[in-house]
Amino acid sequence: MSILKVKKLNLLVIAAIVWIAAGVNILRIGVESYADGCLSVLNVALSVVVGAVFWFFVFSKLTRKHTNRIVGSKERRQYFWKFFDARSFVIMAIMMTGGILIRSLGLAPTVFIAVFYTGLGTALSLAGLLFGRNRIVHAAAR
């Protein structure tokens, strides 16, 4: 037995930790950008819209897809990185690289960072919480 393998339902815990950590970090960047004079009712409303779009059209579906893949696997133990598939790791790398470049090269105004990152970070955090909930639900169903 490899020490790199975990019980398949624990992949949902790993996913929850990764998504919450990423979401909180991105949310922190957005909130800090709001502190730079971007706070307004319109911008907060736009953050809610961004978060809702990412949640309903991307992350809720992605969470369901990966949960079903993990729970439906016939293998009891899997490598810890299997909380994602290869395509999702590539997408994550592209998004991280793009976000870092946008901020470090100053390609977007602070108000964009505030609005977009706050919405995105909230949606990512919710995905992490849903992975954690899914772990609890599927463990209880066994």
Side-chain angles (χ1 to χ4, degrees), residues 8-9 15 18 25 33 42 50 52 65 84 100 113 123 127 129 142:
K8 71 178 180 180
L9 286 184
V18 168
N25 187 49
S33 296
L42 175 61
V50 168
K65 174 186 134 181
F84 259 4
I100 291 166
I113 301 297
L129 292 172
R142 298 182 110 197

Side-chain angles (χ1 to χ4, degrees), residues 11-71:
L11 292 175
L12 297 173
V13 174
I14 295 169
I17 291 167
V18 168
W19 283 81
I20 290 170
V24 167
N25 187 49
I26 291 170
L27 181 59
R28 178 190 55 79
I29 293 168
V31 169
E32 287 174 356
S33 296
Y34 266 120
D36 289 340
C38 301
L39 186 60
S40 72
V41 172
L42 175 61
N43 289 344
V44 171
L46 289 172
S47 285
V48 169
V49 170
V50 168
V53 167
F54 271 101
W55 174 251
F56 289 108
F57 294 104
V58 180
F59 297 127
S60 65
K61 293 176 182 180
L62 184 140
T63 305
R64 190 175 322 113
K65 174 186 134 181
H66 287 294
T67 297
N68 290 340
R69 178 183 54 79
I70 290 166
V71 171

